[in-house]
Structures are given as structure tokens and as C-alpha cells.
């Protein structure tokens, strides 16, 4: 009780003190929060602990704190071992919390609570301790550890967390870890009424050190290990000692040790329920010694007792998955467990046997299953088993899968075995197809999977404020401005379970649609599927080789594969991968002096063709033949020429071995040409008959023929569009027009100085 003001003045008079000298300490003592800010220039360990003048270290603040107060620790690395020597009350606990990343570091780093009660330690961290635990609780009660991590040095000789004589306390969501820990969390024989909930206890042990290290060791009665994750220890995962009567081990995931997963070592009344136990060298669950009244139910055991694993002693092959030894069979219940596959999975008094034999000798395991079926654990647990929880390790309520028969026992016949309940949440699957021509995107959620009930709602958020809710999986949207948007999808069933997914989509301005014809082999570069590398292996500019050029800003382009609906990205090879454009998807499209183009990525590397059967890469630092491509606008591919002189189509006669002549009445392969954009208004004519360029042979003095593997001066033409809709071709080498000589009776030749009927063609 606070003294009256009169009493305070009387005390002051008796001591001869100054009223002013007592003012500051009184304010600090009355403060609700004491602040520790190592990084503050105003901090002092002798000050009031206000936010304006905080403590520099944790220990001075803890020495000052009283019931109902909080020590707020700010960011920093504190070379301290802090002993909390004051107590709170159940109604007004002492709270030590980290409001930022605060780490106690050093060979003795950690917290000690000895003989105190009603203290909350929240989100604190300690690392590097060697011979003392990072968290040491002794003869304490009403302690709550909420979050935080407690890590040990690799040469540690003490467990990370040690409880000695602790009662009515909770360790929730803490992390206890270290390389080759000698122990994770230990509860001695005088510790009772402690709940370890949702903790992560792990060792990075190589299984060659820290002999017989245990993740969580319980030696006192009435304690609970719930919803936690334990793994990586030499001796085993969770061990319950002889004096630990009425221990509850429920909803835990226990994995990867060189010993036993969960070992009940002589304790009475232990409930080992709904755990998932996997990858232990010896038994997944072992009950031995003088154990009585033990319940082993609803557990899922996967790949235990396998000595062939790298970290195991080969003798582990002689162990079972569930073993009951010594006098432990007295009143022990083994039932409703799943083992991943059939075999000699059980042991009774040291003898390995199969499930049928175990049932005969023990009278137990009537509902155990040996199966690898992924859904066989669903809706088949005993909800009346000791320690059973109405929620799984993640806090999810039990759910009934309508596709699975309810074969469980107890009041909830559809509870699942193992630590995780299958809840039938739908899975959102999202794909998007941007259309650069009209600045739109089509979002397809057809890949979404229903949970226990069908999907009834699809909510599409297009990232620009437009949200569409409907019962169909496909939606489209037109954007008013170009850019990159985050498109989100939420799918829901009639049971209100939902899932969400998102992806980024770039809707950019299209500046053209092209094909890239490799100079090195005169094949188009394309990819048949998203994620597969681009290869210059296609004879024609088909769908898989068509690329939209998108304006990526700052003079750069992105290339969008129409076939795969993905932008090309450079990730070791050039592949159509993403729906969004980042720096990895940006290129410079450069025009070379010979009319070819090159793609530069990252400002230094050029895209090249290693070979016709190899994926395009962006590794060259200079432009050579393999880094050159001819640009073909898609609209100019696969064209034909009908001569005005005779109404016949121009053909690369005899597969290109003879001069071009206008003598065909229909269009086949020999009559098809791709018009290559050479820049400066010039084109090359690429004959599909033989994949060669048309040349004005001998500087135009001889007929045109498709026999060149690259474009030189003789292979350049200007395409002139006439007023009547026809086109004419002008050879660059002699500035003469191409004519269908003698009304088309003779081969085409570039020898006319003016355009007449014989020099006109209809472009098809």
C-alpha cells in the first residue's frame, strides 16, 4: 500500500532528507514501464529508466522492477547473464519483454529465475552459453516464457533450458537450440504442473557428439508437452523418466534422432497421443521399465527403427517401431496408431514381431494400421484417448472428411491420427495471361483444388482497386494504365474455409510482335512450354517462336512468349518463366550494321545460340555470329507474291535451286517467304523452300535466286507500297525494280527503272 502524503513527509523530517532528492526515484518506482535502450546516447545504468533516459543494460532495470511493472528491452546485443530476483503476483506479474531484437550473448548469456514467482519473460533471446543453461529456472512458480529463443554454443555442456523445482508454469512458443546440444529442455523430478506448448527444440547434432542428448526430458510428475516440434538429438526426442507420473505428450512432431522418438522410461500414467514421429534410428515409441497405465494412441509413425540411415548405428535394424518391454505391459494401451508400412514393427518384451503376432501376445493394437496410404490416418482416431485435444498442433479444430468413412472411436469419430488434422482447406491455384495488345489480363483459377466441399466463391483482386467475386474460375480485366500489378485470388467453400494465392503480372505497351531468326543456323528461336529454354531449332515462325516486344522503359524491352504466356528471363539460360517483368526480364534490342539485331542483358552480356540443340544463353561479352538474329515481324512472315504480269505466284523453283519465277497457280512451301526487317526501310526475302535469302544475283544482272545463307549487299530490297494496293521490290545493289520478265514467262530479275504492270505484285 502506498503511504499517505503525511506519512511521507514525516519520514522525510525524521531522516533530515530533501524533498527534491527523493522526487526522481519515486517517479521511477511508480513508472509502469522501465526502458532499456542500449543504442540510445542518453542511456545510463544509474538513471530512472524512462524512455528519455533509459538503462543501457538489462540487469540494472531488472534489479529495479517490482510487481506489476514491465522491463521493455530495445534492440541490441547485451553481454549479460541476468538474474531476476523479484517476484510479481498472479494479478500483477513482472514482465521482461523485448520490443525489438534484443539478444543476450556470451559464454554465460541467459536468464536465471531462482526462488521467484509470477514472472513473464517475453520474446527475449540468448545465445552462446557454454556451461550454464541459456534459461535456468529454479524453485520458481507461476513463470510464463512467451516466445524468444535460447541457443547454446557448439561446445556447450549444459541443456539450453533447465527447470529445477518449478511449478505451475508455461513455456510457450520458445525455441531451444544449438549445435550438438547435450539437452534441449529438462524438467527435474521436483518440477510439476509445467506446460511446454508449441515449442521448437532442435539440435544440429552430427550424432557423433553430445552422447545421449535428449530433446525434452521430463522427470517430474504432472507435466505436459503439447503441440511442439522436437528433432536432431543423439539420444532421442522426448524422454519421460520413472518419477514423471501422469505426463501428457500430445500433438507433437518428433523427428530425426539417433535414438528413440518418445521413450517412456518407467513412468506411470503417461498419455502418448496424436504425435507424428518419424526418422528415428531406434523405436518411434518405446515403453519400458516399470511403466504402468501408459496409453499410446492415435500416433503416426514414419520410417523409424531404420539403421540404414546415415546417422544411425546399424544395430538399429534389429529394433521395432513400437516397443513394449520389461514389466511395461501392465495396463498399457496400444491402439489406433499408424505405421508407415508393414513389417516386423512391434516388440513385446524384447521380441520383434508383426502386427498380428503383437495383437495375439499383448491383446493390444486392435485398430492399429500398417499402411503408406496418405489419407489412411484421417477420421480414424480415438477421441476418448487420454490427453486427446479437440484441436491439432496448429490449433485447428477437428474436421470430417466426407470422402473418408468415420472409423474412429469416442465422441468425435472423425478425428485424425497424428499431430495434424486434415481440414479440407481448398488450395488456390492461379495463372494469368496478360494481353499486351489491349492492356488486359485473364486470370485462371481452374488449377484450384477443392477441400472437403466444392469451391463456391472465387474472389479476384486485380491490384488496381478492381475486385471481382464470382462462382466461376476465370475472370478478365482491362487496365487503364500499363504497369506491374499484384493479382490475388481467394477461393472459398461452403464451409467457409479458404485459401489465397497471388502473382505479379506486367501489362506493358506492346511495340511489335516478332520472331528471332538465328544467323548461325537460320532457325527461329522458340520454346514449346513455360520454363523450357529457348532454342533456335524451328524452321518456320510458328506459334512457339512468336514474341511480343514490350516497352520496359529506359529504352529496354521485355519479350513475351505468346505460346507460353510468359516473359523471357535470364537465369543461366533464356527461358519463358515469369508473368512479371523485373530487371532479369529486361533487354536492350540493338541493331547491328549488317541488319541483324542482338539482345543485350544486364548491360554487358549478349544472348547467343551455343548450338541448334542448346538453349539460348546470355553469357557472351561481345557480339559474334552466334549473338546475331534477323528480326522478322510476325505480320511479314509466311507471305506470298502474286505477279501482276500474269496473275501467277512467285516460286523458288525446284526447292530454291533455280531462279525465282512467277508460274504457280497456288501457294505451297516453295511459294512462301518471310520478309526480314533489316532496318532503314530495307528487307531481306527469306525463302521457306530452302531457308535461304533471295539474292539479286551478280549485282542484279542475273535473275533472283534463293541461295544465300546471310544478307549482304545483293540480298537487300526496299518494299514499295503502290497506290493500288500492290507492292514492288527495289534491289539495293542496283536501285532497279524487280520485274516478272516477259509477262512472267521468264525468271524475276531486278533490271527495271520504273514500275509498270510487270513490276507489281500482290502480297499475300
Amino acid at each position: 500500500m502506498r503511504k499517505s502524503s503525511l506519512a511521507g513527509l514525516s519520514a522525510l523530517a525524521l531522516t533530515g532528507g530533501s524533498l527534491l532528492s527523493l522526487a526522481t526515484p519515486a517517479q521511477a518506482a511508480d513508472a509502469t514501464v522501465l526502458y532499456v535502450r542500449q543504442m540510445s546516447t542518453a542511456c545510463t545504468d544509474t538513471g530512472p529508466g524512462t524512455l528519455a533516459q533509459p538503462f543501457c543494460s538489462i540487469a540494472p532495470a531488472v534489479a529495479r522492477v517490482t510487481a506489476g511493472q514491465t522491463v521493455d528491452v530495445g534492440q541490441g546485443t547485451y553481454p549479460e547473464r541476468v538474474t531476476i530476483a523479484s517476484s510479481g503476483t498472479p494479478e500483477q506479474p513482472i514482465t521482461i519483454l523485448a520490443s525489438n531484437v534484443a539478444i543476450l550473448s556470451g559464454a554465460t548469456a541467459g536468464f536465471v529465475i531462482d526462488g521467484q514467482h509470477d514472472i513473464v519473460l517475453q520474446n527475449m533471446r540468448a545465445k552462446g552459453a557454454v556451461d550454464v543453461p541459456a534459461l535456468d529456472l529454479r524453485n520458481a512458480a507461476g513463470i510464463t516464457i512467451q516466445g524468444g529463443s535460447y541457443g547454446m554454443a557448439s561446445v556447450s555442456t549444459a541443456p539450453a533450458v533447465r527447470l529445477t523445482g518449478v511449478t505451475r508454469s508455461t513455456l510457450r512458443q520458445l525455441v531451444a537450440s544449438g549445435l550438438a546440444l547435450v539437452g534441449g529442455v529438462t524438467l527435474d523430478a521436483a518440477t510439476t504442473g509445467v506446460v511446454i506448448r508449441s515449442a521448437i527444440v532442435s539440435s544440429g547434432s552430427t550424432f557423433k557428439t553430445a552422447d545421449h542428448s535428449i530433446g525434452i526430458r521430463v522427470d517430474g510428475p504432472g507435466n505436459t508437452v503439447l503441440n511442439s516440434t522436437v528433432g536432431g538429438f543423439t539420444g532421442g526426442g522426448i524422454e519421460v523418466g520413472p518419477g514423471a507420473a501422469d505426463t501428457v505428450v500430445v500433438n507433437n512432431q518428433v523427428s530425426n534422432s539417433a535414438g528413440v522418438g518418445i521413450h517412456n522410461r518407467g513412468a506411470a500414467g503417461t498419455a502418448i497421443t496424436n504425435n507424428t514421429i518419424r526418422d528415428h534410428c531406434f523405436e518411434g515409441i518405446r515403453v519400458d521399465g516399470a511403466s504402468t497405465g501408459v496409453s499410446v494412441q492415435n500416433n503416426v509413425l514414419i520410417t523409424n527403427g531404420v539403421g540404414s540411415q546415415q546417422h544411425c548405428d546399424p544395430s538399429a535394424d534389429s529394433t521395432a517401431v513400437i516397443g513394449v518391454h520389461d514389466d511395461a505391459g501392465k495396463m498399457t494401451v496400444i491402439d489406433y496408431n499408424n505405421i508407415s508400412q508393414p513389417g516386423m514393427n512391434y516388440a513385446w518384451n524384447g521380441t520383434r514381431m508383426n502386427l498380428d503376432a503383437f495383437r495375439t501376445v499383448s491383446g493390444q493394437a486392435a485398430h492399429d494400421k500398417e499402411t503408406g496410404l496418405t489419407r489412411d490416418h484421417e477420421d480414424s482416431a480415438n477421441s476418448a484417448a487420454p490427453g486427446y485435444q479437440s484441436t491439432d498442433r496448429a490449433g485447428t479444430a477437428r474436421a470430417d472428411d466426407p470422402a473418408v468413412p468415420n472409423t474412429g472411436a469416442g465422441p468425435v469419430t472423425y478425428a485424425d491420427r497424428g499431430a495434424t488434422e486434415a481440414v479440407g482447406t481448398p488450395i488456390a491455384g492461379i495463372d494469368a495471361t496478360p494481353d499486351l495488345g489491349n492492356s488486359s489480363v485473364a486470370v485462371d483459377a481452374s488449377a484450384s483444388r477443392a477441400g472437403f466441399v466444392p469451391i463456391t466463391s472465387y474472389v479476384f483482386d486485380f491490384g488496381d482497386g478492381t475486385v471481382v467475386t464470382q462462382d466461376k474460375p476465370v475472370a478478365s480485366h482491362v487496365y487503364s494504365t500499363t504497369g506491374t500489378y499484384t493479382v490475388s485470388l481467394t477461393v472459398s467453400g461452403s464451409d467457409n474455409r479458404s485459401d489465397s494465392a497471388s502473382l505479379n503480372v506486367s501489362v506493358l505497351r506492346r511495340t511489335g510482335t516478332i520472331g528471332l531468326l538465328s544467323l548461325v543456323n537460320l532457325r527461329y528461336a522458340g520454346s514449346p512450354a513455360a520454363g523450357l529454354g529457348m532454342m533456335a531449332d524451328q524452321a518456320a515462325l510458328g506459334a512457339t517462336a512468336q514474341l511480343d516486344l514490350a516497352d520496359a522503359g529506359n529504352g529496354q524491352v521485355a519479350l513475351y512468349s505468346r505460346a507460353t504466356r510468359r516473359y523471357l528471363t535470364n537465369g543461366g539460360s533464356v527461358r519463358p518463366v515469369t508473368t512479371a517483368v523485373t530487371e532479369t526480364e529486361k533487354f536492350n534490342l540493338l541493331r547491328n550494321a549488317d541488319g541483324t539485331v542482338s539482345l543485350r542483358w544486364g548491360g554487358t552480356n549478349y544472348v547467343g545460340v551455343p548450338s541448334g540443340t542448346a538453349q539460348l544463353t546470355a553469357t557472351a561479352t561481345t557480339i559474334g555470329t552466334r549473338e546475331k538474329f534477323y528480326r522478322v515481324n510476325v505480320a511479314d512472315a509466311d507471305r506470298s507474291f502474286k505477279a501482276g504480269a500474269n496473275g501467277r505466284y512467285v516460286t523458288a523453283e525446284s526447292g530454291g535451286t533455280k531462279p525465282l519465277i512467277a508460274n504457280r497457280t497456288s501457294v505451297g512451301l516453295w511459294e512462301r517467304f518471310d520478309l526480314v526487317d533489316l532496318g532503314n526501310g530495307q528487307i531481306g526475302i527469306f525463302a521457306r523452300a530452302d531457308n535461304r535469302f533471295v539474292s539479286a544475283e551478280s549485282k542484279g544482272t542475273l535473275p533472283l535466286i534463293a541461295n544465300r545463307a546471310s544478307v549482304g549487299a545483293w540480298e537487300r530490297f526496299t518494299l514499295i507500297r503502290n497506290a493500288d494496293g500492290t507492292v514492288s521490290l527495289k534491289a539495293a545493289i542496283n536501285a532497279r525494280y524487280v520485274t516478272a520478265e516477259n509477262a512472267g514467262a521468264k525468271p524475276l530479275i531486278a533490271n527495271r527503272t520504273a514500275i509498270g504492270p510487270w513490276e507489281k505484285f500482290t502480297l499475300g
Side-chain angles (χ1 to χ4, degrees):
M1 178 181 294
R2 184 181 296 175
K3 295 179 180 179
S4 69
S5 58
L6 180 61
L9 289 173
S10 299
L12 177 63
L14 290 172
T15 58
S18 164
L19 180 63
L20 181 62
S21 67
L22 287 181
T24 298
Q27 291 174 1
D30 289 344
T32 303
V33 180
L34 301 176
Y35 293 94
V36 180
R37 294 293 187 269
Q38 183 188 70
M39 303 177 72
S40 170
T41 57
C43 75
T44 171
D45 283 339
T46 59
T50 62
L51 191 57
Q53 195 175 8
F55 294 105
C56 301
S57 306
I58 301 172
V62 169
R64 183 82 61 87
V65 72
T66 60
Q69 288 186 310
T70 296
V71 175
D72 181 327
V73 183
Q75 181 177 357
T77 300
Y78 298 85
E80 301 182 58
R81 186 167 185 82
V82 176
T83 298
I84 302 173
S86 301
S87 293
T89 68
E91 296 79 18
Q92 290 189 308
I94 288 173
T95 300
I96 316 295
L97 67 84
S99 57
N100 207 315
V101 179
I103 304 174
L104 280 68
S105 181
T108 61
F111 285 92
V112 178
I113 300 176
D114 189 354
Q116 308 303 324
H117 56 84
D118 298 300
I119 296 169
V120 177
L121 203 58
Q122 184 173 343
N123 295 333
M124 295 302 303
R125 303 185 186 186
K127 68 176 185 179
V130 178
D131 297 324
V132 289
L135 179 61
D136 199 358
L137 310 181
R138 312 172 196 157
N139 305 311
I143 308 300
T144 299
I145 309 299
Q146 173 67 55
S149 62
Y150 300 89
M152 302 294 287
S154 60
V155 293
S156 62
T157 60
V161 178
R162 181 173 64 192
L163 280 67
T164 307
V166 177
T167 61
R168 63 175 183 86
S169 296
T170 300
L171 280 62
R172 181 185 294 112
Q173 295 176 331
L174 67 77
V175 176
S177 64
L179 182 65
L181 282 178
V182 300
V185 180
T186 63
L187 285 67
D188 81 333
T191 294
T192 184
V194 171
V195 177
I196 301 174
R197 179 189 292 270
S198 302
I200 298 175
V201 184
S202 66
S203 173
S205 175
T206 59
F207 302 106
K208 296 179 181 178
T209 57
D211 184 40
H212 201 64
S213 64
I214 302 296
I216 298 177
R217 187 192 302 269
V218 181
D219 287 314
N223 298 299
T224 299
V225 182
L226 177 69
N227 300 347
S228 294
T229 301
V230 183
F233 290 87
T234 302
I238 299 174
E239 185 173 292
V240 183
D246 301 320
T247 299
V248 176
V249 181
V250 178
N251 283 358
N252 301 290
Q253 181 172 299
V254 187
S255 61
N256 192 32
S257 83
V260 176
I262 299 176
H263 187 180
N264 193 77
R265 196 168 52 83
T270 305
I272 303 173
T273 307
N274 279 103
N275 301 285
T276 297
I277 307 161
R278 64 182 307 153
D279 300 331
H280 297 277
C281 297
F282 289 88
E283 290 109 321
I285 298 175
R286 180 183 176 95
V287 183
D288 59 18
S291 301
T292 60
V294 177
S295 172
V296 178
Q297 299 192 61
N298 302 342
N299 301 286
V300 172
L301 300 103
I302 305 168
T303 324
N304 297 283
V306 182
S308 60
Q309 296 184 40
Q310 184 176 2
H311 58 264
C312 294
D313 183 334
S315 65
D317 277 332
S318 63
T319 67
V321 176
I322 296 177
V324 182
H325 304 274
D326 308 322
D327 293 329
K330 297 177 180 178
M331 300 174 62
T332 294
V333 176
I334 310 289
D335 211 357
Y336 294 93
N337 302 290
N338 267 42
I339 296 178
S340 58
Q341 60 188 22
M344 303 291 282
N345 291 319
Y346 294 82
W348 181 260
N349 288 329
T351 302
R352 285 189 69 184
M353 59 190 68
N354 61 26
L355 176 56
D356 288 339
F358 183 77
R359 286 170 173 164
T360 299
V361 71
S362 67
Q364 298 295 323
H367 301 92
D368 277 17
K369 298 181 180 181
E370 295 176 307
T371 176
L373 297 178
T374 57
R375 301 180 68 182
D376 207 47
H377 68 288
E378 291 185 31
D379 297 358
S380 59
N382 178 15
S383 60
Y388 166 84
Q389 303 289 305
S390 61
T391 59
D392 71 358
R393 69 190 310 268
T396 304
R398 304 296 176 180
D400 188 1
D401 185 345
V404 176
N406 295 338
T407 59
V412 181
T413 58
Y414 53 80
D416 292 352
R417 304 180 185 191
T420 303
E421 182 79 7
V423 296
T425 300
I427 299 175
I430 184 171
D431 193 14
T433 304
D435 187 330
L436 307 190
N438 61 11
S439 297
S440 69
V441 63
V443 182
D444 189 346
S446 299
S448 300
R449 288 186 290 167
F452 289 167
V453 299
I455 295 173
T456 56
S457 172
Y458 298 86
V459 179
F460 301 90
D461 185 334
F462 289 96
D464 65 345
T466 303
V467 178
V468 175
T469 302
Q470 60 187 43
D471 59 0
K472 295 179 175 59
V474 177
S476 298
H477 175 60
V478 177
Y479 290 93
S480 58
T481 58
T482 60
T484 298
Y485 299 90
T486 299
V487 179
S488 302
L489 164 72
T490 299
V491 295
S492 305
S494 58
D495 57 359
N496 294 321
R497 296 190 185 277
S498 63
D499 186 44
S500 298
S502 65
L503 77 169
N504 292 331
V505 180
S506 293
V507 182
L508 306 180
R509 183 175 65 88
R510 184 174 66 193
T511 60
T513 303
I514 68 169
L516 293 174
L517 181 66
S518 170
L519 174 60
V520 74
N521 64 357
L522 296 181
R523 291 292 186 271
Y524 286 99
S527 176
L532 297 182
M534 296 283 289
M535 296 176 62
D537 61 353
Q538 302 184 37
L541 183 49
T544 58
Q546 296 181 13
L547 304 169
D548 280 348
L549 290 178
D551 182 0
N554 298 320
Q556 294 181 302
V557 298
L559 291 92
Y560 178 76
S561 167
R562 285 192 159 191
T564 65
R565 302 175 299 179
R566 294 291 187 270
Y567 289 98
L568 301 191
T569 187
N570 179 35
S573 63
V574 178
R575 299 173 294 144
V577 175
T578 70
T579 58
V581 174
T582 65
E583 292 303 313
T584 310
E585 289 74 40
K586 294 180 180 179
F587 300 85
N588 291 102
L589 184 63
L590 309 175
R591 177 71 72 176
N592 300 312
D594 59 2
T596 60
V597 296
S598 294
L599 288 168
R600 184 176 64 201
W601 178 85
T604 56
N605 290 3
Y606 297 92
V607 175
V609 182
S611 71
T613 58
Q615 298 177 2
L616 272 62
T617 59
T619 56
T621 56
T622 59
I623 298 175
T625 302
R626 296 187 178 278
E627 288 71 48
K628 291 183 176 182
F629 301 86
Y630 289 109
R631 170 176 172 163
V632 179
N633 298 316
V634 169
D636 294 332
D638 203 26
R639 307 305 296 267
S640 62
F641 294 93
K642 180 187 281 189
N646 60 4
R648 300 294 178 95
Y649 292 100
V650 174
T651 183
E653 187 70 38
S654 297
T657 61
K658 293 182 180 181
L660 272 61
I661 188 169
N663 66 4
R664 291 296 193 272
T665 58
S666 62
V667 176
L669 181 62
W670 294 0
E671 293 74 46
R672 298 182 185 276
F673 302 88
D674 295 343
L675 307 185
V676 175
D677 181 358
L678 300 174
N680 297 319
Q682 294 185 325
I683 65 168
I685 303 173
F686 188 64
R688 293 284 303 280
D690 59 356
N691 287 341
R692 289 293 185 266
F693 288 97
V694 172
S695 176
E697 189 71 20
S698 192
K699 297 184 180 181
T701 61
L702 295 178
L704 273 60
I705 188 169
N707 63 0
R708 292 295 195 274
S710 62
V711 173
W714 298 359
E715 292 73 47
R716 292 175 177 267
F717 298 87
T718 301
L719 184 72
I720 298 170
R721 299 188 181 275
N722 301 311
D724 60 2
T726 63
V727 299
S728 297
L729 295 168
K730 188 176 185 179
I733 190 61
N734 61 5
R736 300 296 177 94
Y737 296 100
V738 174
T739 183
E741 186 71 47
N742 199 17
K746 291 184 178 181
L748 273 60
I749 188 169
N751 65 3
R752 291 296 192 271
T753 58
I755 298 174
W758 293 2
E759 291 75 45
K760 291 184 176 182
F761 302 87
T762 300
L763 193 61

